Amino acid sequence: MKIEKMLKRYRVDDGKRFRLKDYDPADTHGLKSEFKKEAKDLLADGVQELSRLQDTLAAQDRWGLLVILQAMDAAGKDGTIKHVMSGVNPQGVQVTSFKVPTTEELSHGYLWRTSQQAPARGRIGIFNRSYYEEVLVVRVHPEVLANEKLPKRLMTREIWEERYEDIKNFERYLTRNGIAVVKFFLNISRKEQKRRFLDRLDTPEKNWKFSASDAKEREFWDAYQEAYEDAIRATASEFAPWYVVPADHKWFTRLVVAQVLVDELKGLDLEYPKVSGAQKKALAEARQQLEKE
Ligand code: ATP
Ligand code: MG
């Protein structure tokens, strides 16, 4: 099976015609659940390749990769990070989770806290939630915007369009500096979210994952879907594409995310640094020295 090919249908790099309803959360690209075992092997291959590419990324020290994960609760962000990054050298990766902003963070523009955590060259940075919350939760809940300490006359009807524009420009700036950007929306259905919440309630080891406020956010499901659709439509670009990944089947989500990351890294001109003539000479001398001992 050519997994590379199937990625195309989840990629959004021009949002003009994007409609969330064209994306089925339960999609598995025609693969049946009997394929799960094979999917595990494929995922392992992907993870191994990712590890190899990450090693080159670090050695070359020119490109960085920012990976953004956005989703409704229980869509599997944490599990995806855990499984997809499992084989990668921990020194080359950093994961940052963005929660409700602190008082200090609210004293700055909203890109302040995220830009500090953007990955350096040679590294992969994963954002578990991101500045996109500023056009998602903040849009769904006007009281959150009211709490952002913005001057009154800046809080206009245009604020979301303005934020999309700033976000797009920020991403363009990053990519122009060698920090590639790829964004995932893990697309879970309302029904599957309910099932996972109930599972968290039924399984003592999973109780800790459940918070009553998550269940409350379900009431705003439609508003969130609309906010996601608008945000993706406005910020999908060739330089910072979105991938709308089916998230009702975890094994499939992970497979797609791993493969996209492999693809993105392969798209950068990664190579180990070339050794110059002088360096080669120095290496030969070092060898002689060692062999003399
Ligand atoms: P998990 O529940 O799996 O631990 P999570 O990402 O849901 O992971 P929580 O601490 O439950 O972590 O939730 C973080 C909350 O912070 C979310 O409800 C999110 O909407 C909110 N949040 C993130 N960024 C912002 C922001 N800029 N403004 C307001 N709320 C935000
Ligand atoms: Mg949560």
Side-chain angles (χ1 to χ4, degrees), residues 73-74 77 99 129 200 209 211 213-214:
D73 281 302
K77 286 183 282 121
K99 313 262 176 183
R129 302 185 189 271
R200 288 178 179 184
K209 278 195 195 174
S211 89
S213 63
D214 290 353

Side-chain angles (χ1 to χ4, degrees), residues 178-240:
I179 309 301
V181 181
V182 58
K183 307 171 287 194
F184 293 98
F185 171 48
L186 306 189
N187 186 22
I188 190 178
S189 67
R190 191 158 195 241
K191 209 168 122 206
E192 177 63 15
Q193 190 197 49
K194 177 175 168 184
R195 210 192 55 73
R196 290 186 192 173
F197 280 168
L198 286 174
D199 184 46
R200 288 178 179 184
L201 291 171
D202 292 342
T203 318
E205 293 77 25
K206 290 185 183 170
N207 279 176
W208 65 275
K209 278 195 195 174
F210 187 83
S211 89
S213 63
D214 290 353
K216 201 156 180 343
E217 277 313 273
R218 264 174 78 76
E219 290 171 26
F220 301 94
W221 184 273
D222 292 342
Y224 271 108
Q225 297 291 303
E226 211 175 295
Y228 268 108
E229 182 172 89
D230 285 353
I232 293 170
R233 196 182 292 160
T235 60
S237 64
E238 209 42 78
F239 52 85

